Amino acid sequence: MRAELRALGVPEEQLTEIGPTPDESMVVWPANWPVVRLFLALSTQWRIATGLGPVVWLGLRYTEADVLMRREPEFAAVDFADLRLMEAAALAILNARS
C-alpha cells in the first residue's frame, strides 16, 4: 500500500504518520480517527428491519450520534457528513445479498 501511495505522490512524512497495522489490511489516516472512533462508538445504535426475509439495515440512529457529538469532547470536531459517508459505505456491505 505504501508503494501505491508513493506512486501517487504522497510525501514520505505523511506515510510515516499512517503507521502500519499488524497485517497491513487497514490504514486510517490520523485526520480520520475521530470519525472512525465515533462510528465504532455507535456500533449498537443501528436501526434494522426484520420480518420473514433477511434483516435489512436501515441506518444509524442520528439522535444518539448527536448526543455523543455534543457531550463527548473527542467527537466535537467530527463532521456529520463524514459519519454519514461511513454509514452509507457500511450499509452497502451490510445489506449486500450473497
Side-chain angles (χ1 to χ4, degrees), residues 38 62-73 75-77:
L38 176 60
Y62 292 155
T63 52
E64 283 76 1
D66 183 57
V67 168
L68 281 177
M69 292 173 76
R70 285 187 289 114
R71 293 190 180 181
E72 296 291 333
F75 303 134

Side-chain angles (χ1 to χ4, degrees), residues 12-83:
E12 195 66 33
E13 61 272 8
Q14 289 182 355
L15 295 175
T16 58
E17 290 176 9
I18 296 171
T21 60
D23 63 0
E24 285 290 332
S25 64
M26 183 184 79
V27 173
V28 177
W29 290 80
N32 294 331
W33 269 119
V35 71
V36 170
R37 285 194 303 265
L38 176 60
F39 184 78
L40 294 173
L42 293 167
S43 66
T44 61
Q45 300 303 319
W46 284 94
R47 292 179 299 115
I48 61 171
T50 60
L52 297 176
V55 170
V56 176
W57 298 80
L58 303 174
L60 289 169
R61 298 176 192 275
Y62 292 155
T63 52
E64 283 76 1
D66 183 57
V67 168
L68 281 177
M69 292 173 76
R70 285 187 289 114
R71 293 190 180 181
E72 296 291 333
E74 70 176 299
F75 303 134
V78 171
D79 186 343
F80 186 68
D82 291 340
L83 178 63

